[in-house]
Structures are given as C-alpha cells and as structure tokens.
Amino acid sequence: MLTELRIQNFAIIDDLQLSFDSGFVVLTGETGAGKSIIIDAVEMLLGGRADSTAVRSETEVALIEGHFKIDASVQAEIRAILEREGLLDNPDYLVLSREIRREGRNVARVNGRVTTLSLLAELGEWLVDVHGQSEHLSLRRVAEHVNLLDRYAKLDDLRSRYEQAYKTLRQLRAELRSLHANEREAQSRADYLAFQIEEIEAANLKVEEEQQLREERTRLANTEQLTRLSAEAVNALVSGVSSRDAAIDQLGKAVEALTDLAEIDESMNNLGDRAQALMEEVSDLSRTLRRYQEEVEFNPHRLDEVEERLNLIQSLKRKYGGSIEAVLKQAELARQELDAITDAEDRIERLQVKEEQLLEELAQIAVTLSRERVEAGANLGASIEAQLDDLRMAEAQFGLDIQRQEAPDGVPVEGMRLALYPTGIDQVEFLVAPNPGEGLKPLAKIASGGETSRLMLGLKSVLAQADRTPTLIFDEIDQGIGGRVGTIVGQKLWALSSAHQVLCITHLPQLAAFGDQHVKVEKQVESGRTITITRSLNESERVTELATMIGGVSESNLESAIGFLEAAQLEKASRATA
C-alpha cells in the first residue's frame, strides 16, 4: 500500500507531504484545488509520460516520491524484480522517486538508486491501479485476465498441477533439443574423443613416472662423473693407497685399541662397542657404493629412450593438461562423454516416450481447466453485470473471449494438437460493452473516463479477492451520477478496501461519507502564488466538509452531513457483522 507521498514543485503544488492509511481514503476539495494533480503525480511516479511544463514556474526540478509497504500478495513478484536489479534493501518496504527537470531530463530512482523509467513502470504495475484518465490499469493487461479468472474460480490446485507438469515438459524438451543438436555433430565428436582416449591409453602413463624418468635421465647424462665419484668414495673407505690409508683399516685399529683399553678400564666398554658399530656401518656403506658403481654404466640407447618418453609426456601435457594427473583425468572425461554420445539415441527415444506421456497428462489438466473457466466465466459475467446494474449501468455487458490455437507440438485434444501456454490451452480476454448497441469489445481498448471507472469498479467488486493489486485509485468515478448512486458507489468502494487500499477523489458527500480517512485538498494564495495544501480531517471537520459539498455550511446541510456519516457507519457495521 501507498503510505506516504511527497510532491515538490509540480504544477501548482509547492511542497506537499501526504500520509495515507489502509482502508478507504477519500480526497475532496473544490474544483481546481489540485486533487487530480495529485493523481497525475502518482502516475508520473509509476512511469507515466512526463512533460517539463509540469515543473512549477520559477523552479527547475519537480520531485515526486512514494513510500510503499509491500503487500504479501505481491511480495514475491516485487522481490524478484528488485533482486534481479540488485536493488533489494528491505523486502517489506519500497521507495520510488522521480525528478522531472525543466530542460527535459528525467531521473528515476528505486530505493534511492538511479534506475530506468521502465523499471518504475514494471514495479508500478504490481503496486497501483489508477482508474480514470489513466492507462495504468492492471485490467488492461490482457495476459493477466486468465490469472484473474482462475483466482476468481479458485483453480489454484489445478493451476499448480498444470504449471508443474508444464515446467517438466519445458525442461524435457530443452534436453531433447540439446540432444538433437548434439546428434548432428556426434559422429565427428565421437571420433575425436576416441582418438584422445586411444592416444592417452597407448602412452600407459603412471602418475610418478615423470619424476623417476627425470632422475634417471640425470644419472644417464652424468655416468662418467658418477663412476668417478663413487670410486673415490670406495677407495677412501676400503681401498686406500696403503692399508693404513683405508678408513675401515683405521677403524679396525681403533677397535683393537679400545678393546684393550676396556680390559684395563671397564668403564670404557661402550667406546669399543661404538667403534665396532662404526666399522660395521662403514663396511655396509662400502658394499652399497660398490653395487652402485657396478650399476652405473654409460648407455646412450637408454638415454635416448628416456628422452623420448619424457618428450611424449610433455606433448600429452600440452594437449590435455599441465600434469599426468590432468591427462589421465581428460581420458576419463572423454570416455564418459563418448558413452553419453553412444547412449544419446536411446536417451532420445526414452525422452520422446516421456514427452508424449506428459502431453497426455497436460491435456487432461488443461481440458479440465478450460471447462472450469467457461463455467466460471458465465458466473463472473452475471455477477459483474449485477454490480453494473447497481451502478446505473444496467445496459452494460460483460463477456469472455476464450481462444485456442492449433500447434504441431501441442497437446492432443479431440483429434487436434492445441498450443500450450504457461497457463493452459486457453487465451482469455475480458470483453465489455459499456453502452447499448456498441457490442462487446476488448476491455483493454475501451475509453477512459467516469463511466469506465464505474465499469472498473463493478469488475473490481467481483474480482476483489482475485485481483492482487494492493492500491486502487479512482478518479472521476462520480462523474454523471447522483447522490443515490453515489451512496452505492461509496458502499462498493468501502467493501473493496477489505482486500485493497482504496483512494478516491469525489465531489459527492454520500460517497465521501464512507471514507475511513478523509483528506481535504485546497488551494491558497501565498506571496502572490497559488499553492495546494492538504490535511486529514477529524470527525467534526468532516461534517463541515460534507456540508460544504452539499451546498454550503448551513444548519440543514450540517444535519444532512451528519446523516450521511451515520448512515455510512451503520452500513459499515452491518456489513462487518454479516
């Protein structure tokens, strides 16, 4: 609902701030006070066309700002739009604003951030319906007619079943399209994958192999130096120039000396043991070096083999990844994709069978939906025409145009294939004939004005629970009607406010008496300039305002005003307890 509206430098409005309650809000005031300008400002806020001439004279910028509390019925849609645009601050509240500059430039903002005018309009469609001169009306959106009809007919469960099956069908068809598209390229792709697999598998790679080969290549490339160094080490340990030069001989002498020493001083026994252990370790080291020395050989052929193997590994890494692990992983992925291609034909056949099963299921649900819509449409038309009769539009007619289209990929119904839509097989459009002899015409194309506002009121009265638009604004709804019909209109607008916030500009006191909040709009002259001001009236002020609307503040008019208010309160109380 619209909670606050601020208007600056717009037409004759200098600086106006309005706070609105929920329920039924009436705005009254003499002609030219600025009531319709307030509605014009709301339309600008909702993305309507702006004219720089609307900027108040001697100012450069007009500002319109609206604060909305997001109704639960449209919160999901509003949230989706704001999340898409990265503008979601508080899911329960929304601030829209618009600047209109004299030089022609407009600035639109959502939650304080600059955005596009089209986004204001998109959000506005979920927030407010303006009935009067405006085209900003949800009932003019043909795509919404089927949803209104279904909510009126309480077809939520059927719609939910249909939408779930329709979603599944779309996903299945998307997969089929992908499979068919891949099928055309499948053979060449399969050949390429088979080549990859064969190339990698033929290499017989092992994860640790590359490091081992690099180490072997290093040894093979340095055979002479390795032989020389190992020989020097062996000579130092066991084969010195003389027996006295060998390390193992020197250790042997140390062992003998320490053994003799321990016979004299038993406390030194451990030194002999340690020396013996060192001699055994040196002996083992020398044996290992001798074996290594024997294994080291100059083998150019093996070096070539290692180089060739490393080059192969490097080539595969360049093609399929930066490591042997990555190359092996690519082979596995290629096998999986090749299996998928091989299985594609069988998968297509299975999906086509499932597609036909889904189409049969959708056909049953869609036909049931269609039948329910036709029945509900007849009831809806009768109810709306009864409402219009109350509003002195007894000759007005309401009807539904339900169309179906054939499509080769549609659902089978009575020997035909009917096109599928997200809502079923029906294209629904509301038709009206406001006056006798005009014939039924699309609701989206009828003219605006007071008569049309009453027509919309009749529709809204019947569709109140089905229509999710939180705020309804009626301008000129009392054009051409008298006080008795004004009372009926007031009753219906107040009844609408149980499901919506309703704002109405009126000149009829009988209608205004039904308001839960009464805002008076008046103009004043300050410093030689006309400005518009507003104020919410208390009960005594309402009596005076209604008397003024009747014809002037007099004792009889004051009594009549009190009577209108009392009658309205009685009507509200009786409907509240009904």
Side-chain angles (χ1 to χ4, degrees):
M1 58 173 272
L2 177 61
T3 59
E4 290 184 23
L5 179 66
R6 185 176 184 186
I7 308 170
Q8 287 182 317
N9 301 327
F10 186 75
I12 63 171
I13 296 176
D14 177 28
D15 191 351
L16 192 65
Q17 188 153 343
L18 286 159
S19 294
F20 296 111
D21 298 334
S22 58
F24 182 27
V25 182
V26 294
L27 294 88
T28 63
E30 64 182 34
T31 300
K35 301 184 298 298
S36 291
I37 293 173
I38 294 173
I39 305 305
D40 291 342
V42 172
E43 290 181 294
M44 297 303 101
L45 186 64
L46 301 175
R49 293 181 60 185
D51 189 338
S52 60
T53 59
V55 180
R56 184 172 168 81
S57 61
E58 299 182 11
T59 63
E60 295 301 320
V61 182
L63 171 66
I64 306 163
E65 183 175 278
H67 293 243
F68 296 86
K69 182 177 181 182
I70 307 303
D71 193 84
S73 63
V74 296
Q75 195 167 78
E77 289 76 8
I78 295 290
R79 185 186 187 109
I81 295 170
L82 294 177
E83 286 181 339
R84 182 193 73 203
E85 301 294 330
L87 296 170
L88 182 65
D89 291 337
N90 186 328
D92 298 320
Y93 293 92
L94 177 66
V95 180
L96 305 183
S97 65
R98 186 171 179 186
E99 294 177 6
I100 305 165
R101 299 179 181 271
R102 185 171 297 282
E103 79 273 11
R105 189 166 66 92
N106 277 226
V107 179
R109 287 187 172 87
V110 174
N111 289 336
R113 281 164 279 182
V114 175
T115 185
T116 62
L117 202 58
S118 61
L119 182 61
L120 281 190
E122 184 180 2
L123 290 167
E125 288 184 350
W126 293 102
L127 296 170
V128 181
D129 269 353
V130 182
H131 303 259
Q133 300 303 317
S134 170
E135 293 298 316
H136 191 278
L137 182 63
S138 65
L139 285 173
R140 295 187 188 278
R141 300 199 301 271
V142 177
E144 186 65 12
H145 291 181
V146 67
N147 297 323
L148 288 167
L149 177 61
D150 287 353
R151 287 196 290 272
Y152 170 79
K154 296 180 172 56
L155 300 178
D156 294 354
D157 289 344
L158 265 178
R159 273 288 294 269
S160 179
R161 285 173 52 202
Y162 176 87
E163 288 166 1
Q164 185 58 48
Y166 181 77
K167 179 181 178 182
T168 303
L169 177 68
R170 290 192 63 181
Q171 292 170 340
L172 183 148
R173 283 181 166 174
E175 185 178 355
L176 272 173
R177 284 193 298 272
S178 176
L179 287 171
H180 282 305
N182 291 339
E183 195 176 29
R184 291 188 289 270
E185 303 172 0
Q187 190 55 52
S188 60
R189 179 66 177 167
D191 291 343
Y192 175 63
L193 291 170
F195 168 77
Q196 284 188 339
I197 295 167
E198 182 180 358
E199 183 178 35
I200 295 171
E201 287 184 344
N204 194 26
L205 298 175
K206 295 178 177 57
V207 174
E208 302 297 331
E209 177 182 11
E210 186 176 15
Q211 181 60 33
Q212 294 170 354
L213 287 169
R214 290 183 185 278
E215 292 173 359
E216 184 179 359
R217 181 179 65 181
T218 300
R219 289 196 299 273
L220 289 169
N222 294 277
T223 302
E224 293 181 6
Q225 189 174 5
L226 293 175
T227 301
R228 177 178 60 79
L229 291 172
S230 59
E232 288 179 3
V234 169
N235 288 335
L237 291 172
V238 295
S239 303
V241 176
S242 68
S243 61
R244 290 178 302 174
D245 295 331
I248 196 167
D249 291 334
Q250 297 298 323
L251 279 171
K253 291 179 179 179
V255 169
E256 289 178 5
L258 289 171
T259 301
D260 293 341
L261 186 152
E263 288 178 357
I264 300 170
D265 185 353
E266 293 183 357
S267 65
M268 301 302 289
N269 278 338
N270 64 321
L271 291 181
D273 295 338
R274 288 167 62 187
Q276 183 64 42
L278 279 174
M279 190 170 71
E280 291 173 0
E281 180 66 25
V282 169
S283 178
D284 183 62
L285 178 60
S286 66
R287 288 192 297 272
T288 302
L289 282 170
R290 286 185 187 280
R291 286 195 300 272
Y292 176 79
Q293 190 176 11
E294 291 169 0
E295 292 171 359
V296 173
E297 61 175 331
F298 180 68
N299 190 342
H301 178 67
R302 175 57 185 165
L303 180 59
D304 290 342
E305 287 180 348
V306 171
E307 290 286 4
E308 185 178 345
R309 181 67 175 172
L310 284 170
N311 288 337
L312 172 63
I313 292 172
Q314 194 62 31
S315 174
L316 292 173
K317 283 166 59 178
R318 281 196 301 270
K319 284 184 179 181
Y320 305 118
S323 64
I324 290 178
E325 291 93 333
V327 175
L328 294 173
K329 178 65 175 177
Q330 178 58 34
E332 178 61 27
L333 292 174
R335 273 190 292 270
Q336 292 174 7
E337 188 177 348
L338 185 60
D339 289 343
I341 290 174
T342 305
D343 187 52
E345 187 174 336
D346 292 340
R347 177 66 176 163
I348 287 172
E349 290 179 4
R350 291 195 300 271
L351 288 177
Q352 286 173 336
V353 170
K354 189 174 181 181
E355 180 185 24
E356 282 304 312
Q357 293 172 344
L358 268 174
L359 287 171
E360 291 286 349
E361 179 185 348
L362 280 164
Q364 294 177 8
I365 303 172
V367 168
T368 304
L369 266 174
S370 187
R371 184 174 61 249
E372 295 285 346
R373 285 167 179 162
V374 172
E375 294 177 6
N379 295 331
L380 176 62
S383 299
I384 288 173
E385 288 174 3
Q387 291 284 336
L388 297 177
D389 189 26
D390 291 343
L391 296 169
R392 295 300 183 265
M393 295 180 68
E395 302 299 323
Q397 294 179 296
F398 177 87
L400 266 74
D401 181 29
I402 300 179
Q403 297 285 339
R404 298 174 176 179
Q405 299 290 332
E406 290 192 52
D409 63 345
V411 292
V413 178
E414 298 175 355
M416 298 182 294
R417 287 275 179 173
L418 297 179
L420 277 172
Y421 305 102
T423 57
I425 55 175
D426 303 317
Q427 292 179 298
V428 177
E429 184 168 10
F430 293 166
L431 306 176
V432 294
N435 300 300
E438 292 183 358
L440 290 168
K441 297 177 182 178
L443 174 63
K445 296 181 180 178
I446 64 171
S448 299
E451 186 178 59
T452 303
S453 290
R454 276 185 283 151
L455 174 62
M456 295 304 173
L457 174 58
L459 269 67
K460 291 285 187 179
S461 297
V462 175
L463 295 168
Q465 299 303 322
D467 184 4
R468 295 185 294 169
T469 310
T471 298
L472 311 178
I473 299 177
F474 291 88
D475 187 15
E476 298 189 357
I477 196 169
D478 53 12
Q479 182 180 355
I481 65 174
R484 185 169 180 275
V485 179
T487 299
I488 296 171
V489 172
Q491 292 171 351
K492 293 185 182 299
L493 288 171
W494 178 80
L496 271 181
S497 68
S498 64
H500 308 270
Q501 180 193 44
V502 180
L503 279 64
C504 178
I505 291 176
T506 182
H507 295 280
L508 287 177
Q510 295 91 337
L511 191 161
F514 280 87
D516 299 314
Q517 179 186 7
H518 191 148
V519 177
K520 182 175 181 179
V521 182
E522 53 190 332
K523 59 183 178 182
Q524 293 181 353
V525 177
E526 291 185 1
S527 303
R529 300 191 67 186
T530 301
I531 63 170
T532 294
I533 63 171
T534 62
R535 58 194 176 92
S536 283
L537 305 181
N538 59 34
E539 285 303 309
S540 63
E541 290 172 332
R542 289 189 74 187
V543 172
T544 302
E545 175 66 7
L546 293 183
T548 302
M549 294 170 71
I550 293 169
V553 179
S554 66
E555 186 174 344
S556 62
N557 287 344
L558 288 170
E559 289 178 358
S560 295
I562 292 171
F564 290 154
L565 287 168
E566 289 177 347
Q569 289 303 318
L570 285 172
E571 179 68 21
K572 289 181 180 181
S574 66
R575 288 179 178 268
T577 56

